[in-house]
């Protein structure tokens, strides 16, 4: 898709996207799991619709404002996989849930009471309990705490316990969910669903899949350097490429491209914390060794002089989701032909 | 500015901004230098106008698309401090320069010839020569190369040699510029201007100031954690604060806020490469220890249990410019009162 391209540009290969959607849906089906794609990777209603048409049971959004963009484009049902805390958020959540099919996630009594006080008491909104099974981020630490929250949810008009959810699914998740099943069983409380997530784990033989009922993943649809490192996507299965122009060749061992951290982001992320900020397609000896805002620094020590001024290269970024979040639009193409530039509708929706 | 604030939000204190503008302009004046603020930090025409009113001789933009936003808002003259390479860029540059007062920067013959082939040959557009005085990014390596480019520029109709420019101004810059003055002097070519840049160097006693004629800086207007580390801004002189809500307190030594890398960015940047992603105002014992896209991880080991659910905190980010580039709008306030939310007009303009 080079031609008269104005760089830097974030290009998305729709052929690869279609194949990735089919592949992950087939994987979830083979595991006997529902599949719920995460919107954070593409932030595009048009791709969400394709994921739903392929068999997804719904989608996951992190923030209320992101969910609004998706809901307004006919995408749903939506599970907001984030703890909503505070009057402003609860009011927003209630307004959204009054119009669309929305589910929530909590990890505190405050979170439950806030939703209960604002959502329609005549409704039956699913509220999931976030479980920290080893990620050390949000979520209750113990299955007994999950049980307490589940009981509290069920005791409140308008809410019903939706299930247990964790991200990602570390090895410890299996033991955690097994204990939860036992604890809930003893208390006579059914667990309607158990949701696990993450692109890297999706193609593994994680024991937690025996207990889980739902798989969530996002990054698989585009793929990135971290996915290549984790084995979930090959280079050919990476749909997102940043096209950039060589704008300076000040020394034989150094070149500068016009994509810096404003396009590629400074993210190193799990599996690729190695001081490298992308993979240059077809040029494995070229290292993206540093980024400043508008400059990508290419280390050519292994291939001196191999790039020339004006040359356009393709970079697979370290982390696709954050690149999406930097781009006002992405360029869709298929079979080497441009389809069109589409606004990244849910970009920047961090509230 | 808390109140009923929907977080996360990037808030800008206009009182502090005004003082920072005056302080830097006074510093440049005291050094006997012209001052040219860089737009990358705020990306807001309204603040560019204030910088010009305070005495700036013009502004610096990195990309043509960024310059368009500023020019269209009446901001100028504009120096595009970036090597423009390729037909698409040269055509855009020519269209921009036909309507507004624009200056350019080059570090290659290709760059000079491209501008010469597209700009109005009847004009007299200043073209500066980018010098690599120790930053190892773009720029010619030797003063003799700078002389060759300056001669080439002057030989082309429509262009005139605008001066030498470097970023930032490392210690080696003084010797480099001194040699350049000698080399150009021998050749009988005048150097109309010498421009050095960077907020950290601005308040130093860099010897290069003896030779320079112009100072450029951007970050000083907002300040950030890197500026605090470099000594250019105190905490009170940091106008940008990200207001974030504590949304999860899963353990006494850990809390999660709703500002992650989508708001604060993963940038560590010079002087603050220490695995910390911001400074929590008034709570020096709280460490922003990790970021994922929507989660800011706070390490409370030094102050267990010190934060509670729903509490709003203020974070001074590591690097203000990249935070600006992530925000669709920023909230302006003065004397504790909200002024208004203003769209970040030049956000994402990386072309």
């Amino acid at each position: 898709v080079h031609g008269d391209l104005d760089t830097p540009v974030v290009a998305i290969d729709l052929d690869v996207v279609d194949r990735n959607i089919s592949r992950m849906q087939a994987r979830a089906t083979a595991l006997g799991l529902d599949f719920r794609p995460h919107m954070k990777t593409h932030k595009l209603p048009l791709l969400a619709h394709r994921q739903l048409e392929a068999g997804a049971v719904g989608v996951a959004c992190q923030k209320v404002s992101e969910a609004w963009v998706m809901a307004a484009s006919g995408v749903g049902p939506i599970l907001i996989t984030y703890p909503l805390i505070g009057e402003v958020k609860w009011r927003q959540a209630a307004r959204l849930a009054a119009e669309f099919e929305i589910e929530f996630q909590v990890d505190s009594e405050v979170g439950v009471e806030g939703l209960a006080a604002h959502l329609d008491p005549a409704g039956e909104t699913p509220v999931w309990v976030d479980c920290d099974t080893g990620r050390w981020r949000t979520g209750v630490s113990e299955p007994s705490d999950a049980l307490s929250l589940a009981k509290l949810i069920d005791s409140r008009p308008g809410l019903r316990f939706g299930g247990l959810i964790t991200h990602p699914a570390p090895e410890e998740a299996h033991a955690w969910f097994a204990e939860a099943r036992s604890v809930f069983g003893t208390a006579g409380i059914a667990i309607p669903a158990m949701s696990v997530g993450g692109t890297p784990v999706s193609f593994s033989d994680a024991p937690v899949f025996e207990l889980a009922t739902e798989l969530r993943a996002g990054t698989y649809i585009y793929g990135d350097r971290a996915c290549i490192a984790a084995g979930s996507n090959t280079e050919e299965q990476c749909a997102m490429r940043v096209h950039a122009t060589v704008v300076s060749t000040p020394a034989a061992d150094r070149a500068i491209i016009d994509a810096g951290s404003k396009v590629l982001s400074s993210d190193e992320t799990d599996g690729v914390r190695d001081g490298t900020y992308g993979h240059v397609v077809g040029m494995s000896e070229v290292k993206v060794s540093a980024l400043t805002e508008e400059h990508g620094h290419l280390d050519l020590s292994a291939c001196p002089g191999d790039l020339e001024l004006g040359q356009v290269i393709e970079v697979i970024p370290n982390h696709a989701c954050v690149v999406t979040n930097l781009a006002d639009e992405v360029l869709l193409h298929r079979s080497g032909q441009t389809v069109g530039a589409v606004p990244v509708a849910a970009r920047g929706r961090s509230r």
Side-chain angles (χ1 to χ4, degrees), chain A residues 6-311:
Chain A
D6 189 14
T7 62
V9 66
V10 180
I12 306 295
D13 186 329
L14 287 177
D15 286 321
V16 178
V17 163
D18 287 347
R19 287 196 292 269
N20 286 346
I21 290 175
S22 300
R23 190 166 63 100
M24 184 61 92
Q25 185 62 51
R27 172 65 180 162
T29 302
L31 289 166
L33 302 177
D34 288 340
F35 180 61
R36 187 188 301 272
H38 210 304
M39 300 295 93
K40 76 193 188 91
T41 305
H42 54 68
K43 307 185 196 297
L44 292 177
L46 79 92
L47 295 187
H49 282 297
R50 290 184 186 204
Q51 290 169 312
L52 290 165
E53 284 157 18
V57 296
V59 305
C61 290
Q62 295 253 84
K63 296 290 184 83
V64 176
S65 58
E66 187 176 59
W68 255 111
V69 173
M70 290 296 158
S73 298
V75 171
I78 298 173
L79 169 56
I80 298 179
T81 55
Y82 202 82
L84 302 183
I85 297 292
E87 291 289 324
V88 177
K89 295 293 183 213
W90 294 321
R91 283 201 302 268
Q92 291 171 345
R95 289 194 291 255
L96 188 66
E99 296 292 334
F100 304 102
E101 201 178 336
I102 310 289
E103 308 185 17
F104 297 97
Q105 164 183 321
V106 296
D107 73 349
S108 67
E109 291 181 14
V110 169
V112 177
E113 300 293 11
L115 289 174
H118 291 79
L119 294 182
D120 179 3
E124 211 180 317
T125 303
V127 177
W128 299 60
V129 175
D130 181 16
C131 304
D132 182 357
T133 62
R135 176 71 170 83
W136 305 111
R137 197 163 70 180
T138 60
V140 298
S141 305
E142 299 296 334
S144 56
D145 296 331
L147 176 64
S148 303
L149 282 187
K151 284 180 176 170
L152 183 65
I153 291 165
D154 273 340
S155 76
R156 291 294 179 262
L159 311 186
R160 72 171 170 82
F161 172 49
L164 302 180
I165 184 167
T166 192
H167 171 83
E171 265 191 56
E172 304 89 320
H174 182 258
W176 209 103
F177 274 179
E179 187 186 337
R181 201 157 64 165
S182 159
V183 167
F184 276 70
T186 303
I189 310 262
I191 304 175
M194 283 187 174
S195 180
V196 298
T199 291
V201 82
S202 301
F203 294 99
S204 74
D205 292 322
V208 73
F209 289 146
E210 293 164 20
L211 299 172
T213 64
E214 178 180 294
L215 177 67
R216 304 181 329 279
T219 318
Y220 77 97
I221 192 169
Y222 282 169
D224 55 24
R225 189 162 163 266
C227 287
I228 295 175
S232 66
N233 294 62
T234 63
E235 180 181 306
E236 293 67 33
Q237 288 168 337
C238 287
M240 173 188 271
R241 313 280 172 100
V242 173
H243 296 246
T245 300
V246 176
V247 294
S248 184
T249 50
D253 64 353
R254 176 165 37 108
I256 302 292
I257 52 172
D258 58 0
S261 67
K262 271 179 65 178
V263 176
L264 289 165
S265 101
S266 304
D267 255 42
E268 296 192 79
T269 205
D270 292 343
V272 289
R273 293 188 203 282
D274 55 1
T276 302
Y277 298 89
H279 165 71
V280 182
V281 178
M283 298 182 177
S284 56
E285 291 187 317
V286 176
K287 182 183 170 183
V288 187
S289 56
L291 299 177
T292 45
E293 282 154 77
E294 301 286 10
H295 300 76
H297 298 235
L298 303 183
D299 180 349
L300 308 182
S301 339
C303 52
D306 257 15
L307 289 174
E308 59 187 41
L309 268 184
Q311 189 171 346

